[in-house]
Amino acid sequence: MSNITSISASNFIRNIISEDVKANKNGAQVVTRFPPEPNGYLHIGHAKAICLNFGMAAEFKGKCYLRFDDTNPGKESVEYIKAMQEDVRWLGFDWEDRLRYASSYFDQLYEWALELIKKGKAYVDSLSAEEIRTYRGTLKEPGKDSPFRNRSIEENLRMFEAMQAGKFDDGTHVLRAKIDMSSPNMNMRDPTLYRIRRMTHHQTGDKWIVYPMYDFTHGLSDAIEGVTHSLCTLEFEDHRPLYDWILDQLDAPCHPQQIEFARLALEYTMTSKRKLTRLVEEAHVSGWDDPRMHTLSGMRRRGYPPASIRNFCERIGVSKNNSTTEMFILEDCVRQELDVRAPRVMGVLRPLRLVIENYPEDQIEELDARSHPNDESMGTRKLIFSRELYIDREDFVEEPPPKYKRLSPGSEVRLRNAYVIRCDRVIKDEQSGEVKELRCSYDSRTLGVKPEGRKIGGVIHWVSIDHSVSAEVRLYDRLFMKANPNKEIPGEDITSYLNPNSLEILTGCRLEASLNETEQGSRFQFEREGYFFKDPVDSKEDALVFNRIVTLRDAWTKK
Ligand code: ATP
Ligand code: MG
């Protein structure tokens, strides 16, 4: 029994659709849509809605539209429209020939508005915005009818047409639905359907002086597209009676079913285009694709595989209860995907010079190294071993604590894929005392062979000085220090939650030379350091830049 509950709780929408298909509702067709407003870039919350809408359509052999809900031209732009398409495609979904704009329905919506007026279901109100607010009442008190509520149908028609004809100033009149000013649901107290806005629209230019409101546009656009299941987030639950009312009054082609689900909120991230816009505009981040942002473009640039985001959305499920998802769940999905697919390489992030004194100066060796410990199909690569190497500064201490596994004076470690070495001498900067170089010796009998009866510490990674490339490496931490930066607290500014140490830039890192010739878009595990991705924007042929996608293990929950 508990099992059944958990399955149905994991995606109750799947169950509803499945029942509808079984009952042959809508002729067993499934049509969904992902309807973003193009007023910013898509974020991880939208990924949930995209996976749900496109995912359900695919699962039930239906169709999904990508529809721009562009009723608010002042905040929208073609840049956002292009970016959103790129992001949806990158996430792995295809709308085929089903790209739509709510604005391309404006003619039809206008006709429907006239129809509502003719049916006595809508009127032109000439109260000011402030008066409309006051007349609306409160949750405790019913609203009051506007003195303009009983205008004749003829006058309403004449005025609405005059609104569109540009006869009135912005904000002087609105078209309102005539429903019920005493409804307990505020959305039903004669909601505004159209307003006058002199604005050039990115799709329709200067054709329209009046623009429809979201609530009027949304359900009717769904109906035009033949949407069967209109999936939206919980805050629209109170709008559902209005959604249904509008469709019931008009001769719409069909009546989609609105179903609400919980928004995704992810710890330490912000899921609101409006707030993300502020971070970008005030340059708290480098742009919409800053790898610390959980926008789709930020995650793409950081190197998250799209499959890991899809897996994440499946794993968190869909429910009716708002909650905050922990960051390690997302990162775990990223690690899972990368662990299987990312070839292993070696990269030294904080190089310390190491000279093997008993290795001949003019000698080099080509060593074979496996690209994946568990997947032989990934093959091997050649590593060049030589007398002068780099290891990571953090793999050496002069005075090791007990059980120290890395290198220290007199101790032995194995160089990954190569020989056992011993540290014989430490060379320091005379003035600062900083360790500058290690002098070591190697044991030529230990290649792939475990020396008997000797205690070898750990395994450390390395590169050959002359056979490695230089790179900048960017390490990321959470962008916000606060677990729930979405929650607005009066008197607190979201920028005060920003983590000042969310980006660490390491220059002069040294990577296996093979990384110079990697294909754009490939992801690697730098052994012991995490998973990395060549930055698609800043990395150049002779100036490599790598982003750390994620660490090897969860470092967050420990903090
Ligand atoms: P934002 O506040 O970021 O602008 P929004 O809901 O206004 O969010 P829209 O562009 O209107 O953004 O959203 C498009 C679709 O994505 C809607 O169906 C919306 O419900 C869904 N969506 C937006 N944010 C989330 C989220 N955090 N979790 C799940 N779905 C979301
Ligand atoms: Mg919105």
Side-chain angles (χ1 to χ4, degrees):
M1 191 61 207
S2 65
N3 208 9
I4 292 171
T5 328
S6 72
I7 290 170
S8 59
S10 76
N11 185 342
F12 73 100
I13 291 179
R14 177 178 280 136
N15 301 350
I16 294 177
I17 297 180
S18 166
E19 290 303 315
D20 287 350
V21 168
K22 267 191 233 144
N24 207 31
K25 192 175 165 188
N26 310 304
Q29 296 297 303
V30 175
V31 182
T32 58
R33 83 288 170 266
F34 171 62
E37 187 184 341
N39 61 349
Y41 278 59
L42 299 174
H43 51 65
I44 186 82
H46 294 111
K48 176 175 176 178
I50 296 168
C51 290
L52 181 62
N53 280 293
F54 281 93
M56 288 300 107
E59 214 171 301
F60 293 95
K61 304 201 166 40
K63 296 178 197 165
C64 182
Y65 287 84
L66 171 60
R67 182 207 312 148
F68 291 105
D69 227 322
D70 53 350
T71 53
N72 210 354
K75 298 223 160 103
E76 299 163 2
S77 82
V78 173
E79 177 202 340
Y80 298 143
I81 289 176
K82 285 199 183 131
M84 286 179 165
Q85 292 184 50
E86 193 184 346
D87 288 347
V88 173
R89 219 176 273 124
W90 174 74
L91 195 53
F93 298 102
D94 185 359
W95 53 87
E96 295 172 349
D97 57 353
R98 289 178 295 278
L99 179 67
R100 297 290 186 276
Y101 294 83
S103 58
S104 56
Y105 307 142
F106 281 176
D107 283 298
Q108 172 71 73
L109 293 174
Y110 185 78
E111 289 305 314
W112 272 326
L114 293 174
E115 193 181 325
L116 277 187
I117 297 173
K118 286 178 197 157
K119 288 182 166 163
K121 300 285 185 185
Y123 62 98
V124 172
D125 196 355
S126 309
L127 290 179
S128 69
E130 183 51 42
E131 286 165 324
I132 290 182
R133 247 192 310 279
T134 323
Y135 274 66
R136 214 164 158 235
T138 62
L139 283 173
K140 292 199 187 101
E141 280 173 44
K144 268 196 312 187
D145 285 1
S146 159
F148 301 101
R149 199 172 195 260
N150 291 317
R151 276 183 164 139
S152 69
I153 290 175
E154 291 66 38
E155 190 182 355
N156 281 322
L157 282 175
R158 192 176 48 73
M159 286 200 65
F160 185 54
E161 279 166 346
M163 281 164 65
Q164 165 57 16
K167 300 275 161 56
F168 304 119
D169 288 343
D170 285 17
T172 50
H173 309 278
V174 292
L175 182 73
R176 297 179 73 176
K178 198 177 204 174
I179 310 179
D180 179 5
M181 287 307 291
S182 60
S183 169
N185 183 338
M186 301 287 282
N187 295 300
M188 299 300 271
R189 293 186 188 171
D190 292 10
T192 300
L193 305 178
Y194 267 90
R195 62 218 191 291
I196 308 174
R197 276 256 168 115
R198 280 179 177 73
M199 248 175 208
T200 303
H201 189 287
H202 48 94
Q203 302 300 313
T204 57
D206 293 320
K207 175 170 178 186
W208 295 97
I209 308 275
V210 291
Y211 285 100
M213 301 295 289
Y214 173 86
D215 278 327
F216 185 64
T217 311
H218 197 83
L220 291 170
S221 303
D222 284 346
I224 291 171
E225 291 163 6
V227 167
T228 54
H229 300 83
S230 177
L231 314 177
C232 63
T233 36
L234 281 180
E235 69 273 21
F236 289 101
E237 197 162 15
D238 290 345
H239 296 238
R240 186 170 3 114
L242 177 58
Y243 183 99
D244 289 330
W245 183 90
I246 292 170
L247 291 172
D248 287 341
Q249 310 310 311
L250 294 164
D251 196 16
C254 67
H255 191 134
Q257 179 187 0
Q258 176 178 307
I259 307 170
E260 307 86 17
F261 63 94
R263 282 182 97 80
L264 168 71
L266 183 64
E267 273 187 349
Y268 302 104
T269 65
M270 217 159 244
T271 37
S272 148
K273 285 191 244 106
R274 184 175 53 83
K275 291 180 191 161
L276 294 173
T277 304
R278 194 176 150 209
L279 296 182
V280 173
E281 283 178 354
E282 294 178 9
H284 297 291
V285 292
S286 66
W288 283 101
D289 65 351
D290 187 307
R292 292 167 296 178
M293 299 242 282
H294 284 77
T295 50
L296 292 186
S297 54
M299 292 189 286
R300 173 169 64 233
R301 179 165 172 192
R302 175 137 164 196
Y304 282 24
S308 66
I309 301 174
R310 295 195 301 269
N311 292 341
F312 167 73
C313 291
E314 186 60 35
R315 191 156 139 190
I316 56 173
V318 181
S319 83
K320 276 270 184 196
N321 306 314
N322 278 322
S323 64
T324 302
T325 300
E326 289 162 287
M327 181 54 92
F328 82 85
I329 299 180
L330 175 60
E331 294 202 332
D332 205 46
C333 291
V334 175
R335 281 189 196 101
Q336 247 175 31
E337 185 68 22
L338 293 171
D339 180 35
V340 181
R341 306 207 188 276
R344 274 51 170 171
V345 293
M346 292 195 282
V348 175
L349 303 192
R350 304 156 196 89
L352 173 61
R353 190 181 156 93
L354 182 153
V355 178
I356 301 174
E357 289 181 308
N358 63 341
Y359 197 87
E361 264 178 56
D362 52 358
Q363 183 175 317
I364 60 164
E365 270 172 278
E366 269 196 349
L367 307 176
D368 282 320
R370 281 179 64 164
S371 293
H372 196 284
N374 313 318
D375 184 354
E376 282 193 28
S377 74
M378 284 201 192
T380 58
R381 64 191 194 281
K382 298 280 182 212
L383 286 176
I384 308 283
F385 191 79
S386 67
R387 179 182 158 92
E388 299 196 2
L389 311 175
Y390 284 125
I391 64 161
D392 199 290
R393 248 172 213 289
E394 296 193 349
D395 283 334
F396 174 81
V397 285
E398 267 196 289
E399 287 166 34
K403 302 207 178 138
Y404 186 72
K405 284 256 166 73
R406 291 166 272 169
L407 200 57
S408 58
S411 83
E412 284 189 308
V413 292
R414 175 172 295 279
L415 294 176
R416 177 83 174 138
N417 297 307
Y419 299 97
V420 170
I421 56 160
R422 186 185 60 225
C423 175
D424 301 321
R425 237 159 10 101
V426 182
I427 298 177
K428 293 186 188 174
D429 184 280
E430 275 179 14
Q431 258 152 33
S432 67
E434 191 197 10
V435 176
K436 279 180 62 183
E437 185 178 312
L438 303 177
R439 292 273 158 171
C440 299
S441 48
Y442 88 117
D443 181 343
S444 62
R445 299 159 304 178
T446 54
L447 187 65
V449 178
K450 215 169 157 185
E452 298 249 333
R454 256 155 67 195
K455 231 179 127 207
I456 312 296
V459 181
I460 65 173
H461 59 282
W462 56 276
V463 293
S464 163
I465 290 184
D466 285 343
H467 307 89
S468 57
V469 289
S470 182
E472 174 179 317
V473 168
R474 299 174 182 172
L475 307 179
Y476 303 103
D477 199 351
R478 55 180 90 160
L479 183 54
F480 292 96
M481 295 178 293
K482 205 172 147 86
N484 184 2
N486 285 303
K487 194 167 163 208
E488 300 203 32
I489 299 178
E492 284 186 21
D493 190 82
I494 55 166
T495 59
S496 68
Y497 308 148
L498 285 165
N499 175 4
N501 304 314
S502 57
L503 169 63
E504 185 183 356
I505 298 179
L506 301 174
T507 53
C509 308
R510 302 290 299 198
L511 314 178
E512 258 181 48
S514 64
L515 284 164
N516 217 1
E517 289 126 38
T518 54
E519 279 171 42
Q520 197 63 32
S522 25
R523 302 171 173 89
F524 300 92
Q525 185 191 101
F526 291 4
E527 293 196 64
R528 304 175 63 228
E529 296 288 3
Y531 295 98
F532 291 79
F533 184 64
K534 200 194 283 184
D535 189 277
V537 180
D538 292 338
S539 197
K540 301 280 158 356
E541 205 175 343
D542 46 5
L544 293 175
V545 178
F546 275 84
N547 295 321
R548 180 153 71 190
I549 308 168
V550 68
T551 52
L552 290 179
R553 273 170 294 277
D554 178 29
W556 289 49
T557 37
K558 272 187 277 164
K559 278 186 192 169

